[in-house]
């Protein structure tokens, strides 16, 4: 990394990658599966780890490496590993850091597939898990067992926007010889740096804020300790969870505007959240930036801003949710989040429609819940879009 790049925004632009033989300002796409050795000795030395240099793209590639170095610098880590998806990053973390007989404590409302992967698949290897509301530190303490080797938290969590106190869970993990792994996707490194609060591994679905343009699926893991980074990389290599060079190029390009995008989106999100709170059709609004958020103070202590994600509950239940989805014209009706385009979704009729009402409530999905990911359009247009979609609602009081 360029030593002059000390501020976050400077690292976004300059960390990772160095000019190639042509003097390219930006690391080009090294669209190659393999790298040619000058002679047998060089090949042998690279395989033995005695010489630097690339071997094969699943193991490493300059375009992917440039992205890894940049995110590593942003998080303040000691090694980053890019992966084909966010779920590939989760898979790599579980495989690398847990063994048969170990126990993991995790956030109950964690990203669904992260829980399915553990409960339905890692359980086959005798890895046990307990899911609790990690925003309640006493519940985390009670869930710890003698064989707990990992606490895996997602904060802010989805869709309830609960905040887990990272410093407090890091202390519990380390007092029990366990590692703290943080899924920091909802915050991105612009708003939250878990290593400064004691985390051991941070992971992201770069599909969301880091890439930010709704055109790539990818993931990344960052470790605070170089030996843990090496363990993660070895698993990424043998499981084939690698990112590809074209994907890495796009993500690195998208990443450069992370601060600009999030600053703009959260300014709009704050206005939209306050406006929603004033609407008669809305029962409640859950946004970290509002004083009504139960963990508003903790959130602003451990994060540098409230971010771009809003959840709100419509008084009219499932029907009102479906109606709003069908009437918005600017916000796009789609799952995912963290892009420049505003996305809206209604979990009860979409992502969680196959669940029973009881199962939905266990996952914090109430009938009128709407998840809104604020993009960078004009905020007045976004508010007008919601206004025309909410108004004349027969369910409104
Ligand atoms: C989307 C998401 C994931 C999974 O990432 P993919 O890139 O879709 O595989 C994991 N955690 C969180 C919090 C997410 O939002």
């Amino acid at each position: 990394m360029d030593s002059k790049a000390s501020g976050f925004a400077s690292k976004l632009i300059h960390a990772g990658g160095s000019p190639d033989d042509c003097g390219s300002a930006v690391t080009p796409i090294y669209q190659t599966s393999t790298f040619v050795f000058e002679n047998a000795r060089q090949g042998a030395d690279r395989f033995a780890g005695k010489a630097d240099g690339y071997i094969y793209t699943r193991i490493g590639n300059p375009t992917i490496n440039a992205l890894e170095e940049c995110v590593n610098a942003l998080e303040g880590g000691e090694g980053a590993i890019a992966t084909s998806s966010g779920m590939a990053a989760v898979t790599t973390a579980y495989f690398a850091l847990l063994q048969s007989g170990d126990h993991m404590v995790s956030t109950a409302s964690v990203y669904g597939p992260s829980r399915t992967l553990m409960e339905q698949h890692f359980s086959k290897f005798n890895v046990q898990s307990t899911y609790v509301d990690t925003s309640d530190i006493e519940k985390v303490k009670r869930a710890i067992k003698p064989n707990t080797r990992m606490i895996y938290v997602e904060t802010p969590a989805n869709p309830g926007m609960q905040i887990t106190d990272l410093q407090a869970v890091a202390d519990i993990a380390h007092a029990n010889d366990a590692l703290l792994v943080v899924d920091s996707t909802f915050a991105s490194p612009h708003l939250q740096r878990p290593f400064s609060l004691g985390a051991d591994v941070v992971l992201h679905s770069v599909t969301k804020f880091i890439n930010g343009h709704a055109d790539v699926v990818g993931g990344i893991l960052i470790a605070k300790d170089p030996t843990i980074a090496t363990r993660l990389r070895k698993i990424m290599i043998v499981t084939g969870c690698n990112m590809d060079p074209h994907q890495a190029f796009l993500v690195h390009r998208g990443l450069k505007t992370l601060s600009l995008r999030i600053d703009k989106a959260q300014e709009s999100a704050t206005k939209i959240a306050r406006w929603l709170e004033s609407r008669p059709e809305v029962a409640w609004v859950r946004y970290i930036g509002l004083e009504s958020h139960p963990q508003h103070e903790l959130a602003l202590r451990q994060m540098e801003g409230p971010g771009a994600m809003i959840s709100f509950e419509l008084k009219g239940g499932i029907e009102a949710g479906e109606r709003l989805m069908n009437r918005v014209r600017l916000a796009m009706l789609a799952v995912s989040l963290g892009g420049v385009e505003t996305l809206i979704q209604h979990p009860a009729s979409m992502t969680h429609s196959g669940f029973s009402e009881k199962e939905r409530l266990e996952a914090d999905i109430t009938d009128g819940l709407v998840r809104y990911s604020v993009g960078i359009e004009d905020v007045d247009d976004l508010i007008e879009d919601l206004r025309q979609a909410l108004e004349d609602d027969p369910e409104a009081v």
Side-chain angles (χ1 to χ4, degrees):
M1 184 187 75
D2 187 334
S3 59
K4 293 190 289 295
S6 57
F8 190 85
S10 304
K11 287 181 193 165
L12 271 175
I13 307 304
H14 294 290
S18 42
D20 63 2
D21 292 345
C22 307
S24 311
V26 168
T27 307
I29 309 173
Y30 285 86
Q31 194 70 50
T32 183
S33 59
T34 196
F35 297 84
V36 178
F37 308 129
E38 274 168 20
N39 51 48
R41 160 102 285 145
Q42 189 187 51
D45 285 350
R46 287 188 186 175
F47 269 102
K50 286 191 222 151
D52 286 342
Y54 294 96
I55 298 173
Y56 183 63
T57 282
R58 176 160 47 73
I59 300 172
N61 171 292
T63 314
I64 302 169
N65 191 43
L67 170 68
E68 290 171 336
E69 280 182 19
C70 184
V71 178
N72 187 54
L74 297 174
E75 290 284 5
E78 288 293 335
I81 299 95
T83 56
S84 55
S85 67
M87 282 315 301
V90 178
T91 304
T92 301
Y94 290 172
F95 254 122
L97 306 176
L98 290 166
Q99 305 202 36
S100 177
D102 285 355
H103 173 250
M104 178 187 91
V105 176
S106 185
T107 308
S109 58
V110 75
Y111 186 71
S114 302
R115 183 162 178 170
T116 306
L117 176 64
M118 175 55 61
E119 290 188 324
Q120 295 184 19
H121 304 287
F122 274 75
S123 59
K124 291 183 286 201
F125 310 121
N126 188 31
V127 178
Q128 297 154 2
S129 54
T130 305
Y131 286 84
V132 295
D133 175 1
T134 52
S135 70
D136 182 338
I137 292 302
E138 291 309 313
K139 288 189 180 156
V140 177
K141 281 187 190 155
R142 283 200 293 277
I144 298 286
K145 298 182 181 184
N147 57 338
T148 303
R149 293 286 85 86
M150 183 190 289
I151 301 182
Y152 179 104
V153 304
E154 187 175 312
T155 183
N158 177 35
M161 304 307 292
Q162 299 94 336
I163 306 294
T164 295
D165 184 335
L166 289 176
Q167 185 75 65
V169 284
D171 290 346
I172 298 170
H174 299 151
N176 290 281
D177 194 19
L179 296 172
L180 174 62
V181 178
V182 179
D183 181 336
S184 196
T185 299
F186 267 53
S188 93
H190 179 60
L191 297 179
Q192 174 167 283
R193 251 99 69 204
F195 292 142
S196 67
L197 299 164
D200 299 289
V201 172
V202 174
L203 65 87
H204 295 275
S205 166
V206 305
T207 313
K208 318 295 168 50
F209 289 99
I210 287 185
N211 178 59
H213 292 76
D215 51 9
V216 177
V217 169
I220 200 158
L221 299 137
I222 314 94
K224 196 170 61 177
D225 177 325
T227 61
I228 292 180
T230 303
R231 277 160 74 188
L232 294 166
R233 180 167 293 280
K234 283 183 174 163
I235 294 298
M236 179 281 284
I237 292 168
V238 296
T239 52
C241 280
N242 59 289
M243 190 175 269
D244 83 55
H246 187 246
Q247 205 183 354
F249 176 83
L250 287 170
V251 174
H252 200 164
R253 180 184 158 118
L255 175 59
K256 293 184 188 195
T257 54
L258 180 76
S259 293
L260 291 174
R261 287 186 277 111
I262 294 190
D263 285 348
K264 164 77 178 165
Q266 76 182 358
E267 191 187 318
S268 300
T270 304
K271 285 190 188 150
I272 294 167
R274 288 198 198 288
W275 179 83
L276 283 168
E277 263 192 333
S278 75
R279 291 298 305 190
E281 302 88 350
V282 174
W284 48 257
V285 179
R286 191 56 36 91
Y287 178 61
I288 297 168
L290 294 177
E291 296 74 17
S292 58
H293 188 288
Q295 295 160 295
H296 176 66
E297 278 172 28
L298 167 65
L300 295 191
R301 212 175 339 120
Q302 80 176 14
M303 296 171 64
E304 288 182 28
M309 295 301 299
I310 303 174
S311 292
F312 58 97
E313 177 75 13
L314 293 170
K315 288 180 184 160
I318 298 225
E319 273 174 36
E322 283 178 345
R323 188 171 178 280
L324 179 66
M325 297 305 114
N326 289 330
R327 288 177 58 116
V328 285
R329 297 188 197 136
L330 187 56
M332 301 201 293
L333 185 51
V335 296
S336 197
L337 58 115
V340 291
E341 48 290 285
T342 296
L343 302 182
I344 192 165
Q345 78 122 334
H346 177 226
S349 70
M350 299 171 71
T351 41
H352 292 70
S353 57
F355 288 42
S356 70
E357 197 176 337
K358 182 171 169 287
E359 285 169 335
R360 282 206 299 270
L361 287 178
E362 276 170 8
D364 282 335
I365 311 291
T366 40
D367 285 349
L369 183 79
V370 175
R371 197 179 74 178
Y372 195 73
S373 171
V374 181
I376 62 170
E377 299 94 336
D378 289 294
V379 66
D380 292 344
D381 288 345
L382 291 172
I383 290 177
E384 175 54 23
D385 182 43
L386 286 170
R387 191 196 58 73
Q388 63 80 27
L390 283 170
E391 251 167 29
D392 307 315
D393 186 340
E395 302 293 330
V397 282

